[in-house]
Every structure is written in C-alpha cells, then in structure tokens.
C-alpha cells in the first residue's frame, strides 16, 4: 500500500484545495491530510484564518477524499509524521517548490502544480473590507495603520472628525478627549477601538458602552497586552489552579521615554503616568481577582499639581482572599515584571511583561518549573485588530477585555483624578 501525506491550512475550503487533495490521493492508495492548528498557524504568521481548526477539519472530512486527518502542531512535525505513519510520498502545491526537499531523506517528495486563480487569502479579501480610520496621536496611529497591513479584511482610510467613508475608527488622542471622540464616532454609527482609558469616569464609560449597545456597534478597549497569546495563556494557567489559590498579583509598568521627569518638560499635552500605564498594570489584577475589591489605596508623587501629572504612583488593592499592587511611572524606573503569587507556586513574567512572549511557572522545587514561549508579532496590536474585526463581523463584543474590567480600571483613574490619594 502506498501512503501519501499532504499538509495545509484549508481555510474556507475551495476548488484549489479539492484539486490538490484529489491529485494527492491519486498518487497512492491511502491519503493522510495534516491540518495546521490555530496556534501553529500563528507561529507561521498566519493570524487570519476565518475558520477554526474544528471547522477546517470538518470541511476536509466532508470532501471525502482523505483517509485520515491529523493535526500539524509544531515545526519539524512532518519528519515525525512521515516516520510514524510509514509514509511513501509527501506532496504539496507548487507554491512550496523546493521548500520541502529536505524530506527526500525520508520519502519521495512531489510538488503538484497549484491551481491558478484561487486562494484562501483571495476569498478572505473578497469579503467586504472593514474600513478603519484613525484620529489622534501620530505615533500610535502610524503603528496601528502599519499593523493593519498584516490583517486580511481590513483597510485603512484617512478620515476627519466627521468619520465619513469609514466603518470604524481607531482613537488614540489625549485621554481627556477620548470620551467625546468615542461618543461622536458611535453617534455617527461607527465602530470604535480606543486606547485605554476610553473615558475618565465610570459614568462616562458606562454611557459609551450603553450607546454602543443601543446602536449595535462594537466598542473595544485597546490594551494591546490583552490580545497577546502569552498573556492570555498565563491568565488561564493561573486560573487553572496550578499555582494553587492566587493570593497576590503584583505588576510594574514604567517608562522614562518622554522626558516627563525633566525640569522644564512641557507636560500639558502628555498623558500622566496613571493614564499611560494604569490600564495595562491593572488589567491582570482585575482579570485574575475580579473587580470587587474591598479596599484600595493610592500613593503618588505629583510633578505638576495643575495638570495632575504623576511621576510615580502605587495602587494597592485588598480583595477578600488576595491582595494586589500596581506600580506605574513615567518619571521613575523599576523592573517591569509581573508576579502572580499562589499557595503552591508563582508565575513570573519578565520585563517588559506587557509585551512578553515568555513566562515561567515556578515552584519551591525548581525541578518542577515550567517555561512557556509563544509567538508575539507587532506587540499584540495585530491580534488586537484581528479580534476587533472579528467582533465587528460577528456583532459580538470581543471577550478579551470585559466591560466590567474597563469600567473598574476607569473607576481607579477617576479616584485618582478626584485627588483621593496620599502624596510622597
Ligand atoms: N493549493 C493549490 N491551489 C490553490 C491553493 C492551494 O494547489 N489555488 C494547495 C497548496 O499548495 C497546499 C494546499 O492546497 O498544498 C493547502 O493550501 P493552503 O495554504 O491551505 O491554501 P491557500 O489557498 O494557499 O491559503 P492562503 O491563501 O491562506 O495561503
């Protein structure tokens, strides 16, 4: 019996795939089809699949051509599979010509001519594109637009404050302006994705969320960390109980980049530390411990009283069964790490934890420690855009940052803005 194996993503199964599978099958007696897992695709830079692994498997299965379907999960797996299944022929389309010649050592390699004029990317792109405009600060907007190029199904268009000709808008202005900007966008019937905080009071935040709901629009909080794979994995690992009960979450976010601490710095157009870093630093605290803290205290070092500009701020929370702290600064520097303390062990995320691709689960017995690596492209912004576009398409708010979390973060910033803190 001649065994043939082929691999692919098979997103939105099309005529080109079917022809490839039929010809692959005709090369032998038994066809194994390897379908890439969502995680493996992410590591290959394919972040845009429209269908989940289960849906893609179901489609290939329904074609009736494959005798066996397996999942491709890691780099180098092809060699393992060829040996394990005793494969005689490896085949893929000619778009991969030469790339798998190294497999000749294990079996025969055949490249089949690719069917012209059809691809999953084209089908994804044919769907109506989500046109996104930007308003606000140049640097952040430029980064966002650059990252949009990596996402199928979205397109950038310049827009002014009337938001004409766009379906959605990315907002990265001064936090003082966010509420008005988001409100205007929603009132104009546009979906919005706004840098955090999206407003400066809980009441304003709830207004915006209500408005979005009433209008059937998506309003997303743009904390890029929330969308990175390593961060979302560490949340579920922490919640799975492997470090026991969580008793403390301590996060540190600092940056000195815009000279806020210098004597004659013009701070009027800059974000203070709590707005710039508070949302990111508080995110894991509320996502892991919930938002029902019993008590909080804020200690801060203010540089400019009129502007309420803090050089350094430390926020401490007491929950029923845990404590947490967020240390943030734009005019002080510390190790930007995240530590989640549990009764059996802890999770350590090295600096800068908010854009990490790596973390460790550590125990008393270091031999039990585990290390986790994940791909991170575009600091998470790329994944944030994918999640936003998916939310718009499905009409469901994305689950990455729940409304209660955005609202709790803004509640703390509101307390700070009211001057309810101790000064050092
Ligand atoms: N294939 C083909 N002809 C096409 C498209 C794909 O023969 N028009 C083959 C590929 O060469 C590969 C298999 O089908 O062997 C699965 O390809 P996959 O990457 O899943 O499909 P694409 O349509 O190329 O996807 P994308 O546009 O996302 O790259």
């Amino acid at each position: 019996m001649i065994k043939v194996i082929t691999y692919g993503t098979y997103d939105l199964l099309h005529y080109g795939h079917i022809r490839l599978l039929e010809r692959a099958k005709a090369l032998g007696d038994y066809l194994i089809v390897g379908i890439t897992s969502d995680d493996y695709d992410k590591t290959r830079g394919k972040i845009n699949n429209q269908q989940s692994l289960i849906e893609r498997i179901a489609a290939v299965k329904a074609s009736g051509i494959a005798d066996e379907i397996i999942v491709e999960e890691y780099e180098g797996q092809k060699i393992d599979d060829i040996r394990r299944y005793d494969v005689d022929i490896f085949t893929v389309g000619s778009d991969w010509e030469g790339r798998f010649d190294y497999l000749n050592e294990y079996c025969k390699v055949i490249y089949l001519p690719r069917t012209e004029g059809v691809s999953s990317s084209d089908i994804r792109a044919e769907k109506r594109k989500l046109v996104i405009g930007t308003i606000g600060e140049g640097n952040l907007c430029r980064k966002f637009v650059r990252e949009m190029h990596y996402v199928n199904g979205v397109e950038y268009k310049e827009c002014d404050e009337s938001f004409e000709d766009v379906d959605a808008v990315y907002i990265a202005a001064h936090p003082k302006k966010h509420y008005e900007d988001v409100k205007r966008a929603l009132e104009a019937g546009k979906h919005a994705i706004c840098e955090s905080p999206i407003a400066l009071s809980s009441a304003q935040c709830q207004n915006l969320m209500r408005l979005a709901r009433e209008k059937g629009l998506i309003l997303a909080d743009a904390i890029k960390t929330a969308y990175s794979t390593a961060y979302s994995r560490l949340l579920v690992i922490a919640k799975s109980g492997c470090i026991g009960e969580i008793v403390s979450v301590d996060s540190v976010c600092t940056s000195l980049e815009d000279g806020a601490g210098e004597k004659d710095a013009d701070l009027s157009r800059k974000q203070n530390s709590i707005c710039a870093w508070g949302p990111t630093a508080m995110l894991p605290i509320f996502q892991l411990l919930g938002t029902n803290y019993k008590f909080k205290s804020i200690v801060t070092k203010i540089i400019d009283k009129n502007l309420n500009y803090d050089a350094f701020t430390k926020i401490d929370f007491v929950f029923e069964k845990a404590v947490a702290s967020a240390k943030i600064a734009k005019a002080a520097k510390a190790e930007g790490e995240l530590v989640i303390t549990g009764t059996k062990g802890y999770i350590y995320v090295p600096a800068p934890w908010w854009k990490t691709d790596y973390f460790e689960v550590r125990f008393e017995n270091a031999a039990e420690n585990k290390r986790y690596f994940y791909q991170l492209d575009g600091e998470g912004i790329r994944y944030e855009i994918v999640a936003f576009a998916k939310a718009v398409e499905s009409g469901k708010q994305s689950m990455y940052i729940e409304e209660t979390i955005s609202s709790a973060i803004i509640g703390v910033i509101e307390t700070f803005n009211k001057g309810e803190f101790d000064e050092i």
Side-chain angles (χ1 to χ4, degrees):
M1 185 170 71
I2 299 174
K3 277 191 171 181
V4 183
I5 197 162
T6 188
Y7 294 85
T9 303
Y10 302 101
D11 190 27
L12 307 169
L13 195 75
H14 56 67
Y15 172 65
H17 294 144
I18 300 288
R19 280 203 61 218
L20 186 286
L21 292 174
E22 283 171 349
R23 285 173 294 155
K25 171 90 180 210
L27 292 173
D29 310 302
Y30 190 84
L31 176 66
I32 303 172
V33 180
I35 304 184
T36 48
S37 72
D38 295 324
D39 270 359
Y40 181 51
D41 266 337
K42 260 194 191 172
T43 68
R44 306 190 305 145
K46 268 201 171 190
I47 57 171
N48 251 324
N49 293 339
Q50 297 279 302
Q51 294 183 302
S52 66
L53 173 62
I54 300 290
E55 291 169 317
R56 293 182 283 119
I57 290 176
V60 172
K61 198 168 174 196
S63 76
I65 308 167
D67 295 293
E68 188 171 347
I69 293 173
I70 58 170
V71 177
E72 186 182 22
E73 293 177 281
Y74 58 89
E75 181 111 45
Q77 187 184 322
K78 292 183 180 76
I79 297 177
D80 284 346
D81 289 341
I82 290 167
R83 284 175 169 158
R84 186 178 310 136
Y85 297 102
D86 206 7
V87 165
D88 302 289
I89 299 173
F90 166 91
T91 185
V92 277
S94 51
D95 43 326
W96 295 97
E97 186 83 50
R99 291 276 293 277
F100 294 106
D101 289 356
Y102 69 92
L103 294 174
N104 272 312
E105 195 184 324
Y106 308 94
C107 67
K108 193 169 172 188
V109 175
I110 298 177
Y111 300 100
L112 292 167
R114 186 181 160 93
T115 307
E116 292 304 317
V118 57
S119 77
S120 304
S121 308
D122 290 348
I123 300 174
R124 286 191 294 260
E126 269 164 26
K127 289 189 170 182
R128 194 186 164 304
K129 286 199 171 174
L130 177 72
V131 181
I132 310 180
T134 62
I135 53 170
E137 205 255 309
N139 224 354
L140 286 170
C141 288
R142 269 194 297 280
K143 245 192 200 177
F144 193 87
V145 172
R146 198 175 60 220
E147 289 299 317
M148 273 170 65
H149 295 307
Y150 294 93
V151 182
N152 271 160
V154 299
E155 185 184 319
Y156 169 65
K157 193 159 198 181
E158 240 176 77
C159 76
D160 59 21
E161 308 225 333
S162 67
F163 309 115
E164 241 170 75
D165 301 332
V166 300
D167 308 307
V169 60
Y170 166 72
I171 298 163
H174 192 284
K176 276 189 204 152
K177 273 191 80 223
H178 281 169
Y179 175 69
E180 289 305 327
D181 286 342
V182 174
K183 190 158 165 265
R184 251 180 316 104
L186 295 173
E187 278 167 350
K190 311 299 173 182
H191 303 281
I193 174 162
C194 179
E195 283 299 324
S196 206
I198 59 172
L200 289 180
S201 77
S202 297
Q204 284 182 342
C205 171
Q206 270 141 31
N207 268 347
L208 294 177
M209 286 165 176
R210 192 177 329 114
L211 185 59
R213 259 196 307 276
E214 280 167 12
K215 297 213 155 225
L217 295 166
I218 300 299
L219 168 58
D221 205 335
I223 306 176
K224 60 178 190 281
T225 306
Y227 302 88
S228 86
T229 315
Y231 176 77
S232 38
R233 290 299 151 83
L234 85 81
L235 284 188
V236 287
I237 287 175
K239 285 181 180 175
S240 74
C242 78
I243 55 163
E245 212 180 296
I246 300 172
V247 291
S248 184
V249 178
D250 300 276
S251 85
V252 181
C253 299
T254 69
S255 59
L256 279 172
E257 86 273 14
D258 65 2
E262 278 152 35
K263 259 212 166 105
D264 40 10
D266 173 16
L267 299 174
S268 60
R269 295 173 57 198
K270 292 188 195 300
Q271 292 192 47
N272 57 8
S273 301
I274 194 151
C275 281
W277 281 123
T280 304
M282 287 187 268
L283 187 71
I285 295 175
F286 292 141
Q287 288 192 316
L288 287 167
L289 301 176
T291 53
N292 286 330
Y293 51 85
K294 294 201 302 188
F295 175 79
K296 72 167 177 293
S297 67
I298 305 176
V299 180
T300 187
K301 179 176 160 64
I302 299 280
I303 310 180
D304 187 318
K305 273 224 155 69
N306 293 330
L307 296 170
N308 220 11
Y309 198 106
D310 55 329
F312 166 90
T313 294
K314 183 156 185 286
I315 312 163
D316 285 292
F317 299 92
V318 178
F319 292 79
E320 202 181 332
K321 292 189 172 157
V323 293
S325 70
K327 192 152 82 179
I328 54 199
K330 280 182 85 182
K333 194 70 199 161
E335 186 73 7
E337 58 193 16
L338 171 66
V339 180
I340 302 162
T341 312
T343 50
K344 293 185 184 154
Y346 67 100
I347 296 178
Y348 174 72
V349 194
W353 75 260
W354 54 91
K355 46 181 171 188
T356 192
D357 53 1
Y358 168 73
F359 62 89
E360 281 183 39
V361 180
R362 294 179 175 171
F363 298 96
E364 184 69 33
N365 174 4
E368 291 172 21
N369 290 359
K370 280 201 179 118
R371 295 165 181 196
Y372 294 84
F373 295 89
Y374 299 94
Q375 184 88 4
L376 179 74
D377 295 307
E379 295 178 19
I381 300 170
R382 210 170 289 182
Y383 311 131
E384 176 179 275
I385 300 170
V386 172
F388 179 62
K390 279 200 174 141
V392 169
E393 200 186 339
S394 70
K396 283 193 214 127
Q397 289 290 350
S398 134
M399 289 310 294
Y400 287 88
I401 307 173
E402 302 87 340
E403 286 188 12
T404 48
I405 306 281
S406 301
S407 186
I409 289 172
I410 289 171
V412 175
I413 295 175
E414 187 177 5
T415 306
F416 177 90
N417 286 338
K418 282 186 191 153
E420 293 171 19
F421 48 64
D422 287 313
E423 271 189 74
I424 50 168

Short mmCIF file of all heavy atoms in Angstrom, two decimals, residues 6-11 14 16-17 20 23 46 92-96 113-115 118-121 124, ligand 1:
data_model
loop_
_atom_site.label_atom_id
_atom_site.label_comp_id
_atom_site.label_asym_id
_atom_site.label_seq_id
_atom_site.Cartn_x
_atom_site.Cartn_y
_atom_site.Cartn_z
N THR A 6 -0.10 14.95 2.92
CA THR A 6 -0.05 16.36 2.48
C THR A 6 -0.50 17.24 3.63
O THR A 6 -1.19 16.77 4.54
CB THR A 6 -0.90 16.59 1.22
OG1 THR A 6 -0.66 17.91 0.74
CG2 THR A 6 -2.41 16.46 1.49
N TYR A 7 -0.09 18.51 3.59
CA TYR A 7 -0.40 19.43 4.69
C TYR A 7 -0.98 20.74 4.17
O TYR A 7 -0.69 21.15 3.05
CB TYR A 7 0.88 19.79 5.46
CG TYR A 7 1.50 18.63 6.19
CD1 TYR A 7 2.36 17.76 5.54
CD2 TYR A 7 1.20 18.41 7.53
CE1 TYR A 7 2.93 16.68 6.21
CE2 TYR A 7 1.77 17.34 8.21
CZ TYR A 7 2.64 16.49 7.55
OH TYR A 7 3.19 15.44 8.21
N GLY A 8 -1.76 21.39 5.01
CA GLY A 8 -2.26 22.71 4.64
C GLY A 8 -3.15 23.28 5.73
O GLY A 8 -3.46 22.60 6.72
N THR A 9 -3.57 24.53 5.52
CA THR A 9 -4.45 25.19 6.47
C THR A 9 -5.92 24.89 6.12
O THR A 9 -6.75 24.70 6.98
CB THR A 9 -4.20 26.72 6.45
OG1 THR A 9 -2.83 26.95 6.73
CG2 THR A 9 -5.05 27.42 7.48
N TYR A 10 -6.20 24.88 4.84
CA TYR A 10 -7.55 24.59 4.32
C TYR A 10 -8.62 25.49 4.93
O TYR A 10 -9.68 25.04 5.35
CB TYR A 10 -7.92 23.11 4.51
CG TYR A 10 -6.93 22.21 3.82
CD1 TYR A 10 -5.93 21.55 4.54
CD2 TYR A 10 -6.96 22.06 2.44
CE1 TYR A 10 -4.98 20.77 3.89
CE2 TYR A 10 -6.02 21.28 1.79
CZ TYR A 10 -5.04 20.64 2.51
OH TYR A 10 -4.11 19.87 1.88
N ASP A 11 -8.30 26.79 4.96
CA ASP A 11 -9.29 27.75 5.44
C ASP A 11 -10.26 28.02 4.29
O ASP A 11 -9.84 28.21 3.14
CB ASP A 11 -8.56 29.04 5.85
CG ASP A 11 -9.46 30.02 6.58
OD1 ASP A 11 -10.42 29.58 7.23
OD2 ASP A 11 -9.18 31.23 6.52
N HIS A 14 -11.64 25.46 -0.77
CA HIS A 14 -12.02 25.89 -2.12
C HIS A 14 -11.58 24.87 -3.18
O HIS A 14 -10.93 23.86 -2.86
CB HIS A 14 -11.46 27.29 -2.42
CG HIS A 14 -9.97 27.42 -2.24
ND1 HIS A 14 -9.07 26.79 -3.04
CD2 HIS A 14 -9.23 28.11 -1.33
CE1 HIS A 14 -7.83 27.09 -2.67
NE2 HIS A 14 -7.90 27.90 -1.61
N GLY A 16 -9.27 24.91 -5.41
CA GLY A 16 -7.82 24.64 -5.48
C GLY A 16 -7.42 23.56 -4.48
O GLY A 16 -6.61 22.67 -4.79
N HIS A 17 -8.00 23.62 -3.27
CA HIS A 17 -7.71 22.60 -2.26
C HIS A 17 -8.21 21.22 -2.72
O HIS A 17 -7.50 20.23 -2.60
CB HIS A 17 -8.44 22.95 -0.94
CG HIS A 17 -7.94 24.18 -0.27
ND1 HIS A 17 -8.76 25.05 0.40
CD2 HIS A 17 -6.68 24.71 -0.15
CE1 HIS A 17 -8.06 26.04 0.90
NE2 HIS A 17 -6.79 25.87 0.58
N LEU A 20 -6.08 19.70 -5.32
CA LEU A 20 -4.82 19.25 -4.74
C LEU A 20 -5.03 17.91 -4.03
O LEU A 20 -4.27 16.95 -4.22
CB LEU A 20 -4.30 20.33 -3.78
CG LEU A 20 -2.91 20.23 -3.11
CD1 LEU A 20 -2.87 19.20 -1.99
CD2 LEU A 20 -1.80 19.95 -4.12
N ARG A 23 -5.56 14.98 -6.48
CA ARG A 23 -4.34 14.54 -7.15
C ARG A 23 -3.39 13.86 -6.16
O ARG A 23 -2.68 12.92 -6.49
CB ARG A 23 -3.66 15.72 -7.84
CG ARG A 23 -4.38 16.14 -9.13
CD ARG A 23 -3.79 17.40 -9.71
NE ARG A 23 -4.04 18.51 -8.82
CZ ARG A 23 -3.31 19.61 -8.76
NH1 ARG A 23 -2.27 19.74 -9.56
NH2 ARG A 23 -3.61 20.58 -7.94
N LYS A 46 0.36 33.29 10.24
CA LYS A 46 -0.99 33.22 9.66
C LYS A 46 -1.98 33.47 10.79
O LYS A 46 -2.33 32.56 11.53
CB LYS A 46 -1.25 31.81 9.10
CG LYS A 46 -0.91 31.66 7.64
CD LYS A 46 -1.64 30.46 7.05
CE LYS A 46 -1.49 30.43 5.53
NZ LYS A 46 -2.34 29.46 4.89
N VAL A 92 2.81 18.55 -1.77
CA VAL A 92 2.12 19.84 -1.53
C VAL A 92 2.09 20.57 -2.87
O VAL A 92 2.70 20.14 -3.85
CB VAL A 92 2.84 20.78 -0.53
CG1 VAL A 92 2.52 20.45 0.89
CG2 VAL A 92 4.32 20.86 -0.79
N GLY A 93 1.41 21.73 -2.89
CA GLY A 93 1.32 22.52 -4.10
C GLY A 93 2.64 23.16 -4.49
O GLY A 93 3.55 23.31 -3.66
N SER A 94 2.73 23.55 -5.77
CA SER A 94 3.99 24.06 -6.31
C SER A 94 4.37 25.42 -5.73
O SER A 94 5.49 25.90 -5.95
CB SER A 94 3.90 24.15 -7.83
OG SER A 94 2.73 24.87 -8.18
N ASP A 95 3.44 26.06 -4.96
CA ASP A 95 3.84 27.32 -4.31
C ASP A 95 4.92 27.05 -3.27
O ASP A 95 5.58 27.97 -2.80
CB ASP A 95 2.62 28.03 -3.68
CG ASP A 95 1.67 27.11 -2.93
OD1 ASP A 95 1.50 25.95 -3.37
OD2 ASP A 95 1.09 27.54 -1.92
N TRP A 96 5.10 25.78 -2.91
CA TRP A 96 6.13 25.40 -1.92
C TRP A 96 7.36 24.77 -2.59
O TRP A 96 8.22 24.23 -1.88
CB TRP A 96 5.53 24.40 -0.93
CG TRP A 96 4.44 24.98 -0.10
CD1 TRP A 96 3.10 24.88 -0.32
CD2 TRP A 96 4.58 25.78 1.08
NE1 TRP A 96 2.41 25.55 0.64
CE2 TRP A 96 3.30 26.12 1.52
CE3 TRP A 96 5.69 26.25 1.81
CZ2 TRP A 96 3.06 26.90 2.65
CZ3 TRP A 96 5.46 27.01 2.94
CH2 TRP A 96 4.16 27.34 3.35
N PRO A 113 1.30 20.96 -9.38
CA PRO A 113 1.03 22.33 -9.84
C PRO A 113 -0.15 22.93 -9.09
O PRO A 113 -1.18 22.28 -8.91
CB PRO A 113 0.69 22.16 -11.32
CG PRO A 113 1.24 20.84 -11.70
CD PRO A 113 1.27 19.98 -10.48
N ARG A 114 0.05 24.17 -8.62
CA ARG A 114 -1.01 24.86 -7.88
C ARG A 114 -2.09 25.31 -8.85
O ARG A 114 -1.80 25.69 -9.99
CB ARG A 114 -0.36 26.07 -7.20
CG ARG A 114 -1.27 26.83 -6.27
CD ARG A 114 -0.52 28.02 -5.67
NE ARG A 114 -1.46 29.00 -5.17
CZ ARG A 114 -1.89 29.04 -3.92
NH1 ARG A 114 -1.44 28.17 -3.04
NH2 ARG A 114 -2.75 29.96 -3.53
N THR A 115 -3.34 25.24 -8.43
CA THR A 115 -4.44 25.70 -9.29
C THR A 115 -4.42 27.23 -9.35
O THR A 115 -4.41 27.88 -8.30
CB THR A 115 -5.80 25.23 -8.73
OG1 THR A 115 -5.72 23.82 -8.54
CG2 THR A 115 -6.94 25.59 -9.65
N VAL A 118 -7.14 30.94 -7.53
CA VAL A 118 -7.96 30.81 -6.32
C VAL A 118 -7.05 30.58 -5.10
O VAL A 118 -6.08 29.86 -5.17
CB VAL A 118 -9.01 29.67 -6.45
CG1 VAL A 118 -8.37 28.34 -6.76
CG2 VAL A 118 -9.90 29.57 -5.21
N SER A 119 -7.37 31.27 -4.00
CA SER A 119 -6.64 31.04 -2.74
C SER A 119 -7.51 31.50 -1.58
O SER A 119 -8.43 32.30 -1.75
CB SER A 119 -5.32 31.80 -2.72
OG SER A 119 -5.56 33.16 -2.46
N SER A 120 -7.22 30.95 -0.40
CA SER A 120 -7.98 31.34 0.79
C SER A 120 -7.83 32.85 1.03
O SER A 120 -8.80 33.52 1.38
CB SER A 120 -7.47 30.59 2.02
OG SER A 120 -7.53 29.21 1.81
N SER A 121 -6.60 33.35 0.81
CA SER A 121 -6.37 34.79 1.04
C SER A 121 -7.29 35.62 0.16
O SER A 121 -7.86 36.61 0.61
CB SER A 121 -4.93 35.19 0.73
OG SER A 121 -4.06 34.35 1.40
N ARG A 124 -10.82 35.49 1.42
CA ARG A 124 -10.97 36.33 2.62
C ARG A 124 -11.01 37.80 2.23
O ARG A 124 -11.80 38.57 2.76
CB ARG A 124 -9.82 36.08 3.60
CG ARG A 124 -9.92 34.76 4.34
CD ARG A 124 -8.93 34.70 5.48
NE ARG A 124 -7.54 34.68 5.02
CZ ARG A 124 -6.79 33.59 4.93
NH1 ARG A 124 -7.27 32.43 5.30
NH2 ARG A 124 -5.55 33.66 4.49
N1 LIG B 1 -3.33 24.80 -3.13
C1 LIG B 1 -3.42 24.57 -4.51
N2 LIG B 1 -4.02 25.52 -5.30
C2 LIG B 1 -4.54 26.64 -4.78
C3 LIG B 1 -4.46 26.88 -3.39
C4 LIG B 1 -3.85 25.94 -2.59
O1 LIG B 1 -2.96 23.57 -5.01
N3 LIG B 1 -5.10 27.54 -5.59
C5 LIG B 1 -2.66 23.83 -2.29
C6 LIG B 1 -1.44 24.37 -1.57
O2 LIG B 1 -0.30 24.35 -2.40
C7 LIG B 1 -1.33 23.40 -0.41
C8 LIG B 1 -2.78 23.05 -0.08
O3 LIG B 1 -3.53 23.42 -1.25
O4 LIG B 1 -0.67 22.22 -0.82
C9 LIG B 1 -3.29 23.79 1.11
O5 LIG B 1 -3.02 25.17 0.93
P1 LIG B 1 -3.41 26.35 1.91
O6 LIG B 1 -2.18 27.10 2.27
O7 LIG B 1 -4.28 25.86 2.97
O8 LIG B 1 -4.33 27.24 0.90
P2 LIG B 1 -4.17 28.67 0.25
O9 LIG B 1 -5.40 28.93 -0.54
O10 LIG B 1 -2.87 28.78 -0.49
O11 LIG B 1 -4.15 29.58 1.54
P3 LIG B 1 -3.58 31.07 1.78
O12 LIG B 1 -4.15 31.94 0.71
O13 LIG B 1 -4.06 31.41 3.18
O14 LIG B 1 -2.07 30.95 1.71
#
